[in-house]
Amino acid sequence: MSDLLYSSVEEDLRAAVRAVLTDHCPPSAVLARCETPAPYDPRLWRTLARELGAAGLQIPEEHGGAGAGLRETAVVLEELGRAAAPTPYLGSAVLATTVLLGCGAADLLAPLAAGEQSAALAVPLTADPWADFPAGVRADAAGTLSGTVTSVPDLAGAATVLVPALGQDGPALYAVESTAAGLARTPRTSLDLTRPLADLTLHGAPARRLAGPDTAPGILRRALLTGAGLLASEQLGVAEWCLATTVDHLKQRHQFGRPVGSFQAVKHRLADLWLDIAGARAAARNAADALASGDDGPETVLAVAVAQAYCGDTAVRAAEECVQLHGGIGMTWEHPAHLYLKRAKADQLALGTPGRHRAALAGLADLPAPA
Amino acid sequence: MSAAVEVRERVRELLAAHDPATTDRLDFLRARFDAGLAWVHFPEGLGGLGAPRSLQAAVDAELAAAGAPDNNPRANGIGLGMAAPTILRYGTPEQQARFLRPLWTGEETWCQLFSEPGAGSDLAALGTRAVPDGDTWTVDGQKVWTSGAHTARWAILIARTDPGLPKHRGITYFICDMTDPGVEVRPLRQITGEAEFNEVFLSGVRIPDAHRLGEVGEGWRVAQTTLNNERVAIGGQRTPREGGMIGIVAATWRDRPELRTHDLHQRLLRGWLQAEVVRLTGERLRQQLALGQPGPEGAAMKLAFARLAQELSGLEVELLAEDGLGYGDWTMVRPDQVDFLGRDAGYRYLRAKGNSIEGGTSEILRNIIAERVLGLPAEPRTDKDVPWKDLAR
Ligand SMILES: Cc1cc2nc3c(=O)[nH]c(=O)nc-3n(C[C@H](O)[C@H](O)[C@H](O)COP(=O)(O)OP(=O)(O)OC[C@H]3O[C@@H](n4cnc5c(N)ncnc54)[C@H](O)[C@@H]3O)c2cc1C
């Protein structure tokens, strides 16, 4: 049975990340930044990635990383979710890093491990581990790439873009410098203000091939599986913030001569939400532990599908309850509840919807659909 | 020697000295108790070894593999899950020595005389009176919904000893002899057709003071230990993946493709997901308990368990289509054990309705989570500080 608790090392890491986020990333700062063209606070990212080494947690020490693992990475994501922090962590430290580890591209890992650069994986945020290898980008005989990929997360600030493309001999993974000729990035106006998306267009962009048809599909799938499984931890953090903030508010807020939180109709909703979040915590930890084992067998795939099917909906429900139970203030731009609602709703679609992951369970748990 | 090694050594010694194939069932169970292998986390001399609770599963598995008899825990759930931990916590050495061994072996089963017609969710309002007379107490009153009263040798009982105090303070906890001539047990037929529970009339029942558990007036506090353990006993069982209700539904789904519809498929996948997450939540709770950091998930597990059991058992009846219209047997029987999963789909559907009522209703459990876990303020109460005798009823 997997270890579903947090080790003391993990708790120390959590405390360190939380301290940084409390200092650099209060809700007011997140809100203010949403309305600037620079979606990320470079100082925050530098502190997290460089000083805490959070970006290189899953990178082995010989490549300059911390040589920790995905359980620790998941703890960072919980805290980033709790702060609705705008950082390229999911795109760079999870998705792109997992691809580079799979490709064994040591030279590209080093600047990520050191927190000097970030990278992006050129897939839509909605990509899921069960989909076919993407066909939107093609490599020609000279190895240059052409095509488009829409809604790519964390693309804007990335120094390197990792592109799944169909080469002459089949699926392959390429690295393209973000400054390369023929590469263009077009920001989208995204629902989630704290995780910007952009479209990638390639016109004969020079690229370096990292993996060919033998390994590229497996590497991409592992990255999407890792992303989906660890996103559950971010969703847990989002949900925990929403519940805690709502409970605090309802202890203070008086109507009808008593705290609103003393009304049973409200209490029972919060008790149910608490129970769902306890489930989300167990499921998210289980997925992180399974992924950390490095085994991609059916148990790991199942743990990811369970976690993502469950946590995606739980975070949305928590955020929706948070808005509703704050009343009018929950509808304001000024109160941070909407940041979490937007993050939760976008995360629900990210890396496979809950419905997609439940559908995967049909195969994984041998519960076949009607003929 | 590590605890795990010692426990394994004890199992080997027990099996060597008492070959399960040739030893009388009860002799074996008694020897197992005396070897400290009944519940390893209990103290030595009381059926345990003071070892971590987490080692129990391995002991059970090893003994079962060797063909050893078990103590038929389903026939004595209240004794094992509720009376025993309360006696361990509050009992005198004499009480512990007298009651725990036959309780564990199943020679003496137990029932719980808590609920009354006028005191269910508001258990502290109970009115059964216990009046002291020298070193015995005389008990008069009525209890209801008493599972297994018809087979029990002993009961855990709470009764009012001081009506002049506010309701939580005038209660005392006793061990009641179910063979006392003043105890009358009448079956109450349930929606399943059978009578698992009973009403129990207590008329001049005599209880020696030596069978009082905890101090006079401390009964409410003692009862909390019982109730907390009840919730863990009902919802906190370790189950493998697809253990319990989901396993039955999933097996039917696999065996009978002709029953499958798209709507049922969607709901089955949701149910399966829910069951797996509840299983993981329970597993996480047990890992916390093993590290001595009990989380508040305890009461919640029963809430989650009830919700799931009801959803899945309802789904099973629908899945069975025409077969779902049948029912095994409505004959009134008085079963000697509680079985949530036994018999047929219709029985499971009906029995699961009790899961959100027995051991504290789901509404009360939500109150507990909201107030004790989330720290939300209590609702205004008019009854708390009023002497019990002056309460409206
Ligand atoms: C199968 C079964 C076995 C049982 N076995 C035993 C046993 O062995 N021993 C024993 O002592 N008892 C036993 N019980 C009794 C059980 O503990 C009580 O039925 C339960 O505590 C509810 O009490 P009640 O029936 O009086 O319902 P009530 O307390 O009258 O509740 C009626 C409804 O009102 C709701 N309600 C009550 N108060 C509140 C509140 N403050 N806020 C919101 N909603 C509220 C309840 O949730 C319920 O839905 C058993 C019950 C069942 C169903």
Side-chain angles (χ1 to χ4, degrees), chain B residues 51-66:
Chain B
R53 195 182 196 135
S54 53
L55 296 176
Q56 189 65 43
V59 171
D60 294 346
E62 228 170 297
L63 288 173

Side-chain angles (χ1 to χ4, degrees), chain B residues 9-20:
Chain B
E9 189 54 38
R10 293 271 190 139
V11 171
R12 218 165 294 133
E13 283 169 20
L14 173 70
L15 289 170
H18 307 271
D19 179 359

Side-chain angles (χ1 to χ4, degrees), chain A residues 264 268, chain B residues 78 111-123 143-148 190 196-197 230 351 353-364 367 379:
Chain A
Q264 198 180 56
H268 281 192
Chain B
I78 289 174
C111 68
Q112 177 194 21
L113 293 170
F114 278 26
S115 304
E116 297 182 4
S121 298
D122 185 12
L123 183 59
K143 296 288 177 176
V144 74
W145 324 127
T146 317
S147 307
Q190 284 159 236
E196 213 178 86
F197 58 33
E230 177 169 25
R351 183 59 186 85
K353 296 292 169 249
N355 295 156
S356 55
I357 303 172
E358 58 202 323
T361 70
S362 290
E363 288 75 25
I364 295 302
N367 286 351
E379 298 217 56

Side-chain angles (χ1 to χ4, degrees), chain A residues 2 4 267-268 272 367-368, chain B residues 253 265 284 287 366-367 371:
Chain A
S2 46
L4 303 175
K267 276 177 165 161
H268 281 192
D272 281 335
L367 301 168
Chain B
W253 182 268
H265 191 228
R284 184 160 197 277
Q287 291 182 3
R366 287 191 187 92
N367 286 351
E371 289 175 19

Side-chain angles (χ1 to χ4, degrees), chain B residues 169-181:
Chain B
R169 284 194 263 142
I171 296 173
T172 302
Y173 199 120
F174 298 96
I175 294 170
C176 174
D177 184 345
M178 291 298 284
T179 64
D180 186 284

